Amino acid sequence: MSAPVTGTRRPTKRLAGSVLLLLLLLGSFGAGAQQYRRPQNLDFDLLIQELFAQQGGDDASASYEDLYENLSQYFQSPLNLNTATPEELGSLFILTPNQIASLQRHLRQHGALLSLYELQAVPGFDLPTVYKLLPFVTVPETGLQTDRRKFFARLTDGDNTALIVRVSRTLEGKKGYTAPTLYQGRPSSRYLGSPEQMYARFRTTHFHDYSFGITAEKDAGEQLRWNPDNRQYGPDFLSAHAVLYERGRLKTVAVGDYQVQFGQGLLLSAGFAVGKGAETVATVRRPNSGIRPYTSVLETIYLRGAAATVRVGGGVEVSAFGSRKRVDGSGLVVDSLDSDQIIGESFSALSLTGFHRTTSELARRRNVTETLGGADVTWTAPSRTLQVGLTGVATNYSAAIQRRDLPYNRFAFRGTDNTGLGAHYSWTVGSATVFGESARSKSGGWGHVHGVVASLSATVDAAVIVRDYARDFQSFYGNAFGEGTFPVNERGVYMGIKIRPIAKWELSAYYDRFRFPWLRSTVATINSGGDEWLARVLYRPDKLTTMYAQFRVERKDRNLSASAVGADPVQQVGLGTRQNMVVYAAFKPSAKLELRSRVQGSSYRLGAGGRTTGIAVAQDLNFAISRRVALDTRFALFDTDNFDNRQYLYESDVLYAFSIPALSGRGSRVYGVLRYAINRHLDVWLRAARTLQRDETTIGSGLEEIQGPRRTDVRVQVRWRAG
């Protein structure tokens, strides 16, 4: 994800260009022929905007790289609707559980689909859903449903074999790359490596058959070095996997790096999770996707070892997994009686950044060993409408976790060993799907999340989800539905609805009420909380035109000052109110041009303080110059009173890269992404983005600080495909 671009200033006049670009939202509409064909880049970006919480306060900076990677893989290698499992269809976050069940019933009753045209005959499928689904699915021609070639022939055909190499860099010099200065007789901290971010990935995959891959990455500021004593072999991060599918009773077997997701993510979540967003119904239920290969470069959310799922008969599947890897422990301390007798080690927290650029960051690199093992047993009824399972996981660290002695850490995990045991279920009955999971950790704390998704009529879908995560529920790989990053210290009720009152129109809304029984790092009082709601109106007159308006309000208790909880015994708490507005339009007047216009604004007030505001306006022009050449461009203006009103704008990027910069202060941003398909084997992407901060003399802070008001980021990517 691109680094935030920040600045601070006093309120100024709002952007004059807002009015001009607002008029673009009312541009003329083109009527396209109603043809079913797989679009190459029509709805993918819009779906990303619906799923990702771009204006999301606390969770807006969360990394969605893994989810984006998952969707990108389906975009490049579409799901076969005739063979895709309910879990795979659910991981698209487009179809509700009821629509998935309806499709499964249609296939059982009428046989395999012969054409995508048949989707309109599936009960519960409307044209907007079909248009959104098309980029990610396919129906192979009759006779091509199953590849019956021998494994080696499939492995060497090259149809899904690719090598990607990417280099990124900020052109302006950052403080971290300057010569160190002396501070209290010691040289100041600086980055030890070069400013280039480097990425390479080789992968060969065949749907429902196999996946083999290796990924290497060096972040900007990290070193390329060969140092086996420090467990570095060239790039800072190396990942590899080998996964086989459908080998008789063996459903999946994985060796190397992988992820596991069972139930609703209380104990194990593979990163395919969506926060609250404009998709108000389909995203509340986590897919029970099981064992998946790990192909991302986030250095904390994967497992390393081996895993397998076996069908034992009678609808029962047994999964077992084991992992052993080195992780980063902050503040590692060796406890000893004297220099010859070590009695133990401890560290204060796991570092999740994955950065190893400075001496202090290198000191915590891979300094703690994490060992994890577990299993899941799931039974699926022959009708596939009922699924129940049990999950167990145990985790051990080579050093004890000793949290900082602050009040909000009172119930946080301490020690070396943790276990968790949970039960999950999903039951589709009629037009409703009931799902949930309950789990207990070694501490005795419980986590519960239960919900229902229902089609109330042909035009109305609704969802309700209730969660209760105890203050002492402890899960290292959990990522269940909720307001916080981890399922702990939270109670809440979420209600979502989607209505299609007439053709071409769609109304979506949700309301979420949540409480935090114990203290939080940002709130020095027990039983704090808040609520949040969103409303969205979408108009799609044809498949070439989309317009929507969205409004979101979040109210949440917060500390009135920046001091840490416990540092100020009389810390005052007030209600923080954040409002976000988005107006968006996309129109494709011809096969070679697409226009996208976006205006968004926000306001924030904390307690009795003054109200601050921010606004951003973006205009995209995307050109399909020829069959080989495409160019995406954007010009954006932003104007915010402070960092509380930073504006998050999803941006087009090179294949498999992901960018949602945070814009703060007053300025402009422009970027262009050029793709050139040299031949059927070789593609090249060039991306350049520049931010001009009009009210600041520097950009960024700390070692990321740039002298001057400009930041220019460039990226070059090459993809070679064997087929």
Side-chain angles (χ1 to χ4, degrees):
M1 186 180 296
S2 297
V5 179
T6 63
T8 306
R9 65 175 199 90
R10 301 298 301 168
T12 66
K13 293 182 179 180
R14 292 294 160 228
L15 301 171
S18 302
V19 177
L20 174 62
L21 290 182
L22 270 170
L23 296 177
L24 290 175
L25 297 175
L26 305 176
S28 60
F29 302 145
Q34 300 299 310
Q35 298 177 353
Y36 280 92
R37 61 183 181 87
R38 184 175 179 264
Q40 292 303 305
N41 200 12
L42 181 60
D43 291 333
F44 184 59
D45 285 353
L46 179 61
L47 175 63
I48 295 298
Q49 294 180 52
E50 291 180 342
L51 296 181
F52 296 162
Q54 299 166 72
Q55 292 291 96
D58 288 345
D59 60 353
S61 60
S63 176
Y64 294 100
E65 182 176 334
D66 206 38
L67 174 60
Y68 180 81
E69 167 82 7
N70 183 52
L71 293 175
S72 297
Q73 287 291 337
Y74 287 140
F75 185 70
Q76 296 296 314
S77 302
L79 285 171
N80 180 350
L81 284 176
N82 291 323
T83 59
T85 66
E87 290 75 21
E88 289 166 339
L89 293 170
S91 65
L92 293 173
F93 296 108
I94 296 174
L95 302 176
T96 66
N98 305 314
Q99 288 173 321
I100 295 172
S102 179
L103 175 61
Q104 298 290 314
R105 285 194 298 269
H106 183 87
L107 293 175
R108 289 196 300 270
Q109 295 171 3
H110 303 285
L113 300 176
L114 301 179
S115 168
L116 290 173
Y117 283 101
E118 293 185 59
L119 284 175
Q120 59 188 335
V122 178
F125 279 63
D126 54 12
L127 285 177
T129 299
V130 172
Y131 289 151
K132 190 183 297 185
L133 189 65
L134 286 180
F136 305 98
V137 299
T138 186
V139 175
E141 296 178 7
T142 303
L144 299 179
Q145 304 284 1
T146 303
D147 192 339
R148 301 184 182 278
R149 294 174 298 167
K150 292 184 178 180
F151 176 75
F152 185 75
R154 300 194 305 271
L155 182 63
T156 57
D157 69 1
D159 287 343
N160 295 289
T161 300
L163 171 67
I164 293 176
V165 178
R166 181 194 308 152
V167 178
S168 308
R169 177 171 178 169
T170 300
L171 297 185
E172 291 79 10
K174 298 181 179 179
K175 183 178 179 180
Y177 302 103
T178 62
T181 59
L182 293 179
Y183 176 73
Q184 296 182 348
R186 292 186 175 183
S188 55
S189 177
R190 291 293 185 267
Y191 297 149
L192 301 177
S194 67
E196 291 82 19
Q197 190 267 350
M198 301 179 182
Y199 169 93
R201 184 178 79 178
F202 174 80
R203 188 180 186 189
T204 180
T205 180
H206 196 270
F207 187 67
H208 271 193
D209 195 356
Y210 62 82
S211 176
F212 304 109
I214 183 169
T215 303
E217 188 211 33
K218 181 195 88 72
D219 288 311
E222 293 179 339
Q223 296 173 299
L224 277 173
R225 61 176 184 168
W226 187 269
N227 187 355
D229 292 337
N230 199 37
R231 304 175 188 87
Q232 184 168 352
Y233 308 92
D236 179 74
F237 179 71
L238 287 172
S239 175
H241 73 269
V243 180
L244 294 176
Y245 303 95
E246 305 300 337
R247 297 296 188 272
R249 289 184 176 272
L250 192 63
K251 179 180 178 180
T252 309
V253 59
V255 177
D257 294 346
Y258 63 94
Q259 290 183 305
V260 177
Q261 179 159 308
F262 293 110
Q264 294 304 302
L266 283 178
L267 297 176
L268 295 163
S269 178
F272 308 133
V274 179
K276 292 171 286 187
E279 176 48 65
T280 58
V281 176
T283 58
V284 300
R285 177 179 177 267
R286 301 284 192 261
N288 197 51
S289 52
I291 299 167
R292 300 288 300 269
Y294 184 68
T295 60
S296 187
V297 292
L298 300 176
E299 300 183 26
T300 57
I301 62 173
Y302 66 96
L303 302 178
R304 175 167 289 177
T309 298
V310 179
R311 298 186 180 96
V312 297
V316 177
E317 295 180 353
V318 177
S319 301
F321 46 91
S323 170
R324 186 176 178 87
K325 67 177 183 179
R326 307 286 296 192
V327 296
D328 296 354
S330 297
L332 184 67
V333 176
V334 178
D335 303 313
S336 61
L337 297 176
D338 52 51
S339 58
D340 297 326
Q341 186 177 4
I342 297 176
I343 61 174
E345 294 181 324
S346 63
F347 63 103
S348 58
L350 291 169
S351 177
L352 305 179
T353 67
F355 289 136
H356 307 111
R357 304 162 297 181
T358 65
T359 301
S360 59
E361 289 175 350
L362 280 173
R364 62 173 179 253
R365 182 181 186 272
R366 318 284 197 264
N367 58 0
V368 175
T369 300
E370 175 194 81
T371 304
L372 181 147
D376 177 87
V377 179
T378 295
W379 173 76
T380 303
S383 64
R384 308 188 82 171
T385 58
L386 176 63
Q387 187 178 78
V388 295
L390 293 174
T391 306
V393 59
T395 310
N396 169 268
Y397 291 98
S398 60
I401 299 178
Q402 296 294 337
R403 306 288 185 180
R404 295 174 59 197
D405 189 17
L406 293 172
Y408 68 82
N409 279 332
R410 178 177 176 183
F411 298 97
F413 175 81
R414 288 177 170 84
T416 59
D417 298 280
N418 189 35
T419 56
L421 181 64
H424 57 87
Y425 66 93
S426 177
W427 181 33
T428 299
V429 52
S431 61
T433 297
V434 184
F435 59 91
E437 182 179 12
S438 293
R440 185 179 187 272
S441 61
K442 181 182 178 181
S443 62
W446 282 89
H448 305 279
V449 55
H450 304 277
V452 58
V453 175
S455 293
L456 304 182
S457 71
T459 59
V460 180
D461 296 322
V464 177
I465 188 165
V466 180
R467 72 261 193 197
D468 185 354
Y469 310 139
R471 60 190 180 180
D472 58 345
F473 179 66
Q474 297 160 355
S475 173
F476 295 120
Y477 284 86
N479 184 18
F481 186 93
E483 179 70 11
T485 304
F486 298 101
V488 61
N489 186 34
E490 181 178 338
R491 296 172 182 167
V493 178
Y494 169 97
M495 296 173 287
I497 192 167
K498 180 182 289 188
I499 306 172
R500 297 168 293 278
I502 57 177
K504 304 178 182 179
W505 289 87
E506 182 178 279
L507 308 178
S508 302
Y510 71 74
Y511 177 78
D512 188 36
R513 179 74 177 176
F514 45 85
R515 306 298 295 175
F516 308 109
W518 187 242
L519 307 176
R520 307 180 75 213
S521 61
T522 57
V523 188
T525 184
I526 62 172
N527 203 33
S528 65
D531 61 0
E532 177 183 343
W533 62 268
L534 175 144
R536 170 185 171 116
V537 179
L538 182 143
Y539 175 56
R540 187 180 280 113
D542 54 70
K543 64 180 181 179
L544 302 178
T545 308
T546 300
M547 299 181 67
Y548 71 78
Q550 176 179 302
F551 193 70
R552 172 182 175 270
V553 177
E554 180 195 59
R555 297 177 295 181
K556 186 189 300 185
D557 293 325
R558 294 182 181 275
N559 291 338
L560 294 179
S561 67
S563 59
V565 177
D568 182 359
V570 292
Q571 176 69 269
Q572 298 296 310
V573 173
L575 185 66
T577 302
R578 188 185 309 276
Q579 299 179 337
N580 300 108
M581 175 274 295
V582 178
V583 180
Y584 172 89
F587 169 52
K588 195 168 184 179
S590 71
K592 294 183 178 296
L593 176 64
E594 182 180 25
L595 306 175
R596 296 180 181 177
S597 304
R598 184 182 183 93
V599 178
Q600 63 184 48
S602 67
S603 68
Y604 184 71
R605 184 194 300 272
L606 179 57
R611 178 173 172 266
T612 59
T613 61
I615 191 170
V617 183
Q619 178 61 52
D620 296 359
L621 297 176
N622 300 335
F623 304 93
I625 299 173
S626 69
R627 295 183 63 184
R628 290 189 173 187
V629 182
L631 175 65
D632 293 352
T633 66
R634 168 177 290 176
F635 177 71
L637 299 172
F638 57 92
D639 186 0
T640 72
D641 291 341
N642 53 30
F643 194 62
D644 286 329
N645 289 286
R646 59 197 180 274
Q647 300 295 304
Y648 292 90
L649 292 174
Y650 170 80
E651 296 183 346
S652 297
D653 212 314
V654 303
L655 182 65
Y656 299 138
F658 185 67
S659 178
I660 300 183
L663 305 177
S664 180
R666 181 167 61 94
S668 60
R669 181 169 172 85
V670 60
Y671 75 78
V673 183
L674 176 67
R675 179 194 175 190
Y676 177 42
I678 298 175
N679 53 45
R680 61 175 296 192
H681 299 288
L682 198 61
D683 300 274
V684 177
W685 285 263
L686 302 175
R687 187 182 196 269
R690 166 166 279 199
T691 301
L692 174 61
Q693 204 81 36
R694 300 182 184 278
D695 60 341
E696 293 291 324
T697 58
T698 62
I699 294 181
S701 60
L703 297 184
E704 290 291 295
E705 183 181 273
I706 296 172
Q707 291 297 319
R710 294 176 177 82
R711 171 173 173 153
T712 308
D713 299 299
V714 296
R715 179 170 290 162
V716 179
Q717 176 168 296
V718 177
R719 178 182 64 171
W720 171 83
R721 290 184 291 180

